[in-house]
Amino acid sequence: MTVAGVLTREQAAGRRLPGEPKPIDWIGYVFVAFFALPFLIFNILPVFFGAYVAFTEWSIIGAPKWVGTENFEDAFADEWVWVAFRNVLFYGLIIVPGVTILGLAFALFVNKGYPLSGLARTMFFAPNVVSATVIGLVWVWLLDTQYGLVNNYLGVFGIGPIPWLTSTSWALTGVSIASIWWDLGLAFVLILAALQDIPRDLQEAARIDGANAFNRLRFVILPHLRPVLSMVITLQLISTLRIFSQVYVMTNGGPAGASSSPIHYIYTVAIVRNLYGYASALAIVLFVVILGVTIVQRFLIRETN
């Protein structure tokens, strides 16, 4: 049989010849395109367009006018930018420890298998699946100065009405309480999953050696939870720096900017004042801050192998 005959039989059988390039499976690319194209169009391209707009003066009408770094210079000179970042610092000091400590406490309770722990598991996680808008509206009612349930219960103990959302001194605290309640579910689930991975033999050995509950928590449980606690703190820091919905629904940044956040101020600059170039520059500043905080936090709370 000739070589040509062998090649013909190989080709007829559908087998590739030596040196022949592998055919492209276009069907796979078609399936990937259903996700890749929308992700490219609605996620990646707007990032690059926003980075370009940050160096321009643009009010969405007409062509962008190139202004160089003027928007960034204005951002550092804008007192309201510093107010927003100062507020988010206080948000972080309240929300991050609150979510982490309460998430750990609730996870320890459920992990013990006490009566009604199954119901508690559902109740602790339930707020996390509700939208931030609903959470904000519920807490606006709960924290109402005159008719809110919180002030009514505080009145039982002789505490007068607290203006949770209408006072410059209390607005940050009021929004933080709602944020802790909303974000608690994710931290609770992550810590509970890590708790269930800790070998029970270690805790039994510590108990036999005479370690009380506090020492078992300190020397057995917390060292094993260090990676997940680091992740919870990192996620919560990023979430706090990006806080918007609760602020918008509950206080709209007031009173007098006392509860404003960077994203709320970016929204105000872009949507209310139509300064899209300046808003894009603020968004890039916020991205750099989030990236820097994340890197520093991961360096300070290193995971142990």
Side-chain angles (χ1 to χ4, degrees):
M1 183 179 294
T2 62
V3 176
V6 174
L7 295 180
T8 303
R9 289 179 58 186
E10 292 286 340
Q11 294 173 347
R15 292 191 292 268
R16 289 190 297 115
L17 299 176
E20 182 180 355
K22 184 179 180 180
I24 299 176
D25 186 4
W26 292 106
I27 299 298
Y29 287 98
V30 171
F31 280 105
V32 172
F34 283 105
F35 169 78
L37 289 180
F39 182 78
L40 177 66
I41 294 173
F42 296 106
N43 292 80
I44 302 301
L45 291 181
V47 171
F48 289 99
F49 179 71
Y52 162 72
V53 171
F55 295 92
T56 66
E57 181 181 336
W58 189 45
S59 61
I60 209 172
I61 299 176
K65 176 184 176 183
W66 185 265
V67 294
T69 60
E70 182 178 327
N71 288 327
F72 294 94
E73 295 171 2
D74 292 341
F76 285 102
D78 189 344
E79 63 174 330
W80 290 107
V81 173
W82 296 103
V83 169
F85 276 102
R86 182 200 63 191
N87 290 342
V88 86
L89 173 62
F90 285 106
Y91 278 130
L93 292 175
I94 299 173
I95 296 174
V96 176
V99 169
T100 305
I101 294 173
L102 289 177
L104 175 61
F106 291 166
L108 289 171
F109 171 80
V110 171
N111 191 55
K112 287 291 184 181
Y114 293 122
L116 300 179
S117 61
L119 176 62
R121 183 195 306 260
T122 302
M123 293 178 60
F124 294 153
F125 183 71
N128 195 251
V129 301
V130 181
S131 70
T133 303
V134 174
I135 296 294
L137 292 174
V138 168
W139 278 96
V140 165
W141 174 66
L142 290 174
L143 297 176
D144 185 82
T145 304
Q146 295 182 345
Y147 307 106
L149 286 181
V150 174
N151 279 337
N152 285 337
Y153 284 119
L154 291 176
V156 175
F157 300 97
I159 302 175
I162 298 176
W164 294 104
L165 304 177
T166 57
S167 167
T168 56
S169 301
W170 286 99
L172 277 170
T173 305
V175 175
S176 297
I177 292 173
S179 299
I180 291 173
W181 191 67
W182 185 47
D183 292 338
L184 185 60
L186 179 60
F188 160 73
V189 169
L190 293 174
I191 297 173
L192 179 61
L195 277 174
Q196 294 176 345
D197 287 338
I198 299 176
R200 293 191 177 274
D201 295 343
L202 293 177
Q203 300 189 50
E204 290 297 330
R207 185 180 292 107
I208 293 173
D209 289 339
N212 56 29
F214 175 77
N215 287 330
R216 291 197 302 272
L217 174 65
R218 178 182 177 184
F219 296 108
V220 178
I221 296 177
L222 289 181
H224 283 83
L225 293 182
R226 185 171 181 177
V228 72
L229 289 177
S230 174
M231 181 174 65
V232 167
I233 293 174
T234 301
L235 293 175
Q236 202 54 52
L237 280 171
I238 295 173
S239 176
T240 303
L241 287 168
R242 295 171 56 245
I243 189 172
F244 170 73
S245 299
Q246 303 93 302
V247 174
Y248 179 74
V249 173
M250 298 179 69
T251 64
N252 198 26
S259 62
S260 179
S261 67
I263 290 189
H264 183 269
Y265 186 59
I266 291 172
Y267 162 82
T268 303
V269 169
I271 305 301
V272 179
R273 298 167 56 186
N274 289 327
L275 301 176
Y276 288 90
Y278 185 39
S280 298
L282 293 175
I284 291 178
V285 172
L286 178 61
F287 166 75
V288 173
V289 171
I290 292 176
L291 181 62
V293 169
T294 303
I295 293 174
V296 171
Q297 189 273 335
R298 296 294 295 175
F299 175 78
L300 295 177
I301 309 178
R302 294 184 294 269
E303 297 182 4
T304 56
N305 297 325

